[in-house]
Amino acid sequence: MYAKCGNIQESYKLFKRMNVRNIASWNAMVVGLAQHGNGEEALKNYKQIRGQDIKPDSITFIGVLSACCHSGLVSEAYGYFNSMHSMYGIEPKIGHYSCLVDVLGRAGHVHQAMKLIESMPFEPSASMYRALLGGCKLQGDAETGEYVVTRLLVLEPFDSAAYVLLSNIYASANQWDKVNETRKMMKSRSIKKDPGHSWIDVKSMIHFFVVDDKSHPQDKLEELNQIIGEEGYTPDTDYVMHDVEEEEKERSLYYHSERLAIAYGIISTPPLTTIRVIKNLRVCGDCHNAIKYISKAVDHEIVLRDTNRYHCFRNGVCSCGDYW
């Protein structure tokens, strides 16, 4: 529960105090550490399981492969994947293949991931194609991205995320004509993009934010933007997926929902309080960089949960090591 609420430290303390640990408690710890970006610690825990009279199960390896995924450990992931059957007689399931596809996609091995999908003894899942599409975006591989989208839309023809990711791939490559084509296609099929939003719990009340949200004061965020700018932060407008002027791109980045939520958390809680924000989409690279600067400028630890993982920001550093 602690880990799922973004408090991996308390989760680990509780785990260490347990006199008896079964495979369920070990699995919870391995998976929790992996989700929080503590890949090395997760793998250390897995090695401790092996050193005791406890047999890993299929869930253990979901955690182990996730740890490899969030840490960029490609060869290690293959080693653990192959050991499932050779050492423990566990047949990899589609979830394990999905993790391995994600490992490869994030590391830039998109074509290798495609080969894995084509060779596995299961029909590919939509989540698997989404993971691969995310890898295409990271690598700017529009050609493979187009193919992956066609496969994904066969499974889920009204999946807005597929269109948005493809549009973002085109935007990153400055192929604005194809961006417009993709958006027109969405409109013709009555497919709407899920709007990005973030929320924070302050004094047992949930506060929601969308981009450029004016329902809460923006003064603190404007102050933070000035402070981090003086510390060296510069907006990375490559993360703006619209063909607009540079100044407008910069402004749109300043007021992303997670930044608004964090700023509200700072003005609404005492110093040294941990600020916990949840976002329904993947945090963009520019916001990730900005939040690192913010965490260095304020007396707060900031925990951000996006669709991929937890990011724990302290003193200008994120737990993900800038790999997510």
Side-chain angles (χ1 to χ4, degrees):
M1 183 186 73
Y2 279 119
K4 288 183 177 180
C5 291
N7 195 339
I8 193 64
Q9 293 88 357
E10 287 301 319
S11 178
Y12 211 9
K13 287 179 185 177
L14 180 61
F15 177 74
K16 289 293 187 182
R17 290 203 301 267
M18 294 176 66
N19 294 322
V20 179
R21 301 168 190 160
N22 57 20
I23 191 59
S25 56
W26 278 105
N27 285 348
M29 201 67 254
V30 170
V31 172
L33 287 165
Q35 288 181 332
H36 282 264
N38 303 104
E40 289 186 10
E41 196 64 33
L43 296 178
K44 283 181 183 177
N45 274 261
Y46 167 67
K47 290 173 183 176
Q48 289 181 46
I49 296 174
R50 292 179 56 188
Q52 301 184 28
D53 191 22
I54 299 176
K55 183 181 177 181
D57 60 16
S58 62
I59 297 174
T60 312
F61 283 99
I62 291 290
V64 168
L65 293 172
S66 294
C68 293
C69 181
H70 291 302
S71 302
L73 304 174
V74 177
S75 59
E76 290 86 345
Y78 267 108
Y80 290 125
F81 182 86
N82 292 330
S83 73
M84 290 177 62
H85 181 73
S86 63
M87 293 180 64
Y88 302 105
I90 301 172
E91 290 295 337
K93 299 177 181 177
I94 193 165
H96 302 102
Y97 278 93
S98 292
C99 285
L100 196 53
V101 167
D102 205 5
V103 171
L104 292 168
R106 288 174 192 264
H109 305 300
V110 173
H111 295 288
Q112 193 174 341
M114 279 297 305
K115 289 180 181 178
L116 177 64
I117 289 175
E118 292 166 356
S119 65
M120 68 181 188
F122 303 100
E123 287 296 318
S125 66
S127 61
M128 193 175 288
Y129 280 128
R130 284 193 202 96
L132 186 55
L133 193 55
C136 292
K137 181 181 182 299
L138 289 172
Q139 300 304 312
D141 189 344
E143 183 178 351
T144 306
E146 288 176 338
Y147 172 76
V148 173
V149 165
T150 61
R151 304 306 303 161
L152 175 55
L153 293 180
V154 168
L155 299 174
E156 295 188 0
F158 298 101
D159 179 15
S160 63
Y163 293 94
V164 172
L165 274 170
L166 181 61
S167 176
N168 290 347
I169 291 171
Y170 288 143
S172 297
N174 290 318
Q175 297 180 18
W176 298 108
D177 54 337
K178 291 192 174 183
V179 170
N180 292 330
E181 287 175 13
T182 305
R183 290 173 180 168
K184 287 178 182 177
M185 191 187 305
M186 290 179 69
K187 188 174 182 180
S188 67
R189 297 177 181 179
S190 300
I191 297 171
K192 294 183 178 180
K193 173 186 174 182
D194 292 332
H197 58 265
S198 301
W199 61 97
I200 183 172
D201 183 344
V202 176
K203 299 176 183 177
S204 300
M205 182 176 291
I206 303 297
H207 297 263
F208 282 86
F209 298 84
V210 296
V211 64
D212 205 16
D213 195 323
K214 293 182 173 60
S215 63
H216 295 73
Q218 292 188 350
D219 295 355
K220 185 62 179 181
L221 181 55
E222 290 167 0
E223 177 189 331
L224 288 171
N225 286 334
Q226 182 176 347
I227 291 171
I228 65 177
E230 292 170 355
E231 290 297 318
Y233 161 76
T234 54
D236 187 347
T237 55
D238 286 345
Y239 288 97
V240 179
M241 302 304 167
H242 298 279
D243 190 15
V244 295
E245 295 297 324
E246 195 72 11
E247 185 176 343
E248 188 175 343
K249 287 184 178 182
E250 290 185 8
R251 191 186 184 286
S252 70
L253 290 170
Y254 287 147
Y255 297 97
H256 277 189
S257 64
E258 57 268 55
R259 296 201 210 184
L260 289 162
I262 289 168
Y264 184 73
I266 291 170
I267 64 173
S268 304
T269 58
L272 305 181
T273 304
T274 299
I275 295 170
R276 305 182 193 280
V277 172
I278 301 175
K279 183 177 173 71
N280 70 324
L281 302 175
R282 182 181 186 271
V283 60
C284 79
D286 181 74
C287 283
H288 187 272
N289 188 38
I291 298 168
K292 287 198 298 181
Y293 276 96
I294 291 171
S295 71
K296 194 174 181 180
V298 299
D299 293 327
H300 293 272
E301 177 184 359
I302 301 169
V303 177
L304 173 65
R305 174 71 163 109
D306 69 3
T307 52
N308 286 338
R309 52 169 299 148
Y310 289 90
H311 299 267
C312 181
F313 299 89
R314 289 194 201 97
N315 299 318
V317 178
C318 180
S319 59
C320 75
D322 298 336
Y323 188 92
W324 82 100

